[in-house]
């Protein structure tokens, strides 16, 4: 069971969907939920002798802090009517991006929930930045909740299985969810017609069954589609309510460096995706 959940408010349209799912998970696991109201403060102007005082910047900071305080009060009122242990914090990010500040606050969480965004456009930049920093810098699993996705309880899961460290980490970090599932499909997309030489898919199914999980081995061909498209197609056909996947990426200087399937699932999934790294 998870005992500490965390969710940052990104300002994205799916924040409310993600918060509703986080509250539902906190109730079902008897977990404490921490909600972060993020205030992203622009950096002061600089000149060769250091930071330059700027009345306009101070005014902008005051406006953002006031907005953050109002949002915090609304979050506290929302949480007060829910039967979960919870707290809401105001986090100011000035000398670091808000998404990286959120990642540092996730160190003591069992799971971080974050809003997602379907597509790759201007509206998705901020939520995707939160996902990347949480995935690569927090050391914790991340559950991405796209807009208008089905609320909890999640009872049917599909695992996008590959015999890799990232996917193994995702599966084992997701065990508290999988142990409450009605059915778990361990899905392998066959790209070249060759079987897994280590039969790792069969082994992970047996491992999950030993945990009391109703796990099933599924193999599907790509059919001239990308791996991510094939995964999502199966998930819809099978009635899966969430995906479990390895999150592939590398540290970078403020650039996205995500694996192809990870990125496609991030921008294309319309159901929650649990990523481990």
């Amino acid at each position: 069971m998870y005992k500490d959940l965390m969710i940052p408010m990104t300002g994205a349209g799916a924040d409310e969907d993600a918060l509703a799912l986080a509250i539902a998970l906190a109730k079902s696991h008897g977990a404490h939920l921490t909600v972060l109201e993020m205030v992203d403060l622009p950096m002061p102007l600089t000149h060769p002798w250091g930071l330059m005082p700027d009345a306009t910047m101070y005014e902008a900071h005051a406006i953002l802090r006031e907005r953050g305080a109002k949002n915090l009060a609304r979050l506290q009122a929302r949480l007060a009517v829910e039967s979960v242990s919870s707290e809401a914090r105001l986090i100011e990010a000035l000398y670091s991006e808000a998404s990286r500040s959120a990642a540092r606050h996730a160190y003591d969480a069992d799971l971080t929930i974050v809003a997602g965004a379907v597509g790759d456009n201007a509206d998705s930049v901020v939520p995707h930045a939160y996902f990347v920093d949480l995935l690569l810098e927090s050391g914790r699993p991340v559950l991405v909740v796209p807009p208008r996705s089905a609320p909890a309880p999640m009872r049917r899961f599909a695992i996008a299985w590959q015999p890799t460290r990232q996917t193994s980490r995702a599966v084992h970090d997701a065990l508290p969810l999988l142990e409450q599932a009605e059915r778990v499909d361990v899905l392998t997309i066959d790209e070249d017609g060759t079987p897994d030489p280590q039969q790792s898919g069969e082994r992970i199914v047996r491992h999950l069954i030993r945990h009391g999980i109703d796990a099933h081995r599924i193999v599907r061909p790509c059919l001239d589609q990308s791996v991510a498209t094939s995964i999502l197609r199966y998930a819809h056909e099978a009635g899966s309510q969430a995906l479990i996947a390895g999150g592939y990426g590398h540290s970078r200087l403020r650039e996205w460096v995500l694996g192809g399937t990870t990125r496609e699932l991030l921008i294309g999934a319309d159901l929650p995706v649990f990523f481990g790294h």
Side-chain angles (χ1 to χ4, degrees):
M1 302 286 280
Y2 296 127
K3 291 304 175 185
D4 270 299
L5 305 177
M6 193 207 80
I7 176 172
M9 295 291 97
T10 68
D15 271 350
E16 183 57 35
D17 300 283
L19 180 57
L21 182 52
I23 291 171
L25 285 175
K27 289 179 179 178
S28 65
H29 287 260
H32 180 77
L33 175 62
T34 300
V35 184
L36 305 183
E37 172 59 31
M38 306 301 299
V39 179
D40 197 359
L41 300 174
M43 280 281 291
L45 297 175
T46 61
H47 62 76
W49 296 278
L51 297 179
M52 178 181 296
D54 186 340
T56 303
M57 188 66 67
Y58 291 152
E59 182 179 347
H61 285 186
I63 293 172
L64 291 171
R65 286 181 170 122
E66 181 180 2
R67 182 186 304 165
K70 290 180 179 179
N71 290 340
L72 180 68
R74 282 194 290 268
L75 286 171
Q76 290 170 333
R78 166 73 189 280
L79 294 172
V81 301
E82 301 289 350
S83 56
V84 295
S85 171
S86 63
E87 63 178 304
R89 302 178 193 161
L90 187 70
I91 306 298
E92 293 188 359
L94 176 58
Y95 297 105
S96 176
E97 289 84 353
S99 55
R100 301 189 79 178
S101 296
R104 289 192 290 272
H105 281 267
Y107 292 156
D108 57 343
D110 295 315
L111 172 65
T112 297
I113 301 97
V114 69
V118 177
D120 191 5
N121 49 51
D123 293 334
S124 67
V125 170
V126 171
H128 289 173
Y130 272 89
F131 165 73
V132 171
D133 283 330
L134 287 166
L135 178 72
L136 300 183
E137 300 188 19
S138 74
R140 311 308 304 137
V142 181
L143 178 62
V144 180
V145 184
R148 298 175 295 281
S149 58
M154 297 178 290
R155 292 291 183 255
R156 295 178 67 91
F157 291 84
I159 296 172
W161 177 254
Q162 294 183 7
T164 65
R165 179 187 66 80
Q166 291 87 346
T167 307
S168 174
R169 180 66 182 267
V171 170
H172 288 87
D173 282 343
L175 281 176
L177 293 176
L178 301 179
E179 288 170 346
Q180 295 183 343
E182 296 174 355
R183 179 184 172 101
V184 175
D185 291 335
V186 178
L187 172 66
T188 297
I189 302 300
D190 185 358
E191 296 183 78
D192 54 16
T194 58
D196 177 1
Q198 291 82 33
Q199 286 80 44
S200 63
E202 284 84 355
R203 292 204 307 274
I204 197 68
V205 166
R206 292 195 295 270
H207 174 68
L208 294 174
I209 289 173
R210 293 186 191 108
H211 278 270
I213 296 167
D214 184 23
H216 302 263
R217 179 85 166 111
I218 306 293
V219 180
R220 288 289 185 270
C222 264
L223 298 176
D224 298 322
Q225 299 174 324
S226 70
V227 171
T229 299
S230 299
I231 291 169
L232 293 173
R233 180 176 179 177
Y234 175 81
H236 283 289
E237 291 174 353
S240 303
Q241 295 167 307
L243 288 171
I244 311 292
Y248 300 86
H250 304 278
S251 298
R252 73 279 182 263
L253 295 175
R254 313 318 307 154
E255 296 178 0
W256 282 30
V257 184
L258 293 180
T261 300
T262 302
R263 188 172 184 278
E264 285 187 54
L265 289 176
L266 178 65
I267 67 178
D270 58 356
L271 73 168
V273 184
F274 182 109
F275 290 97
H277 180 69

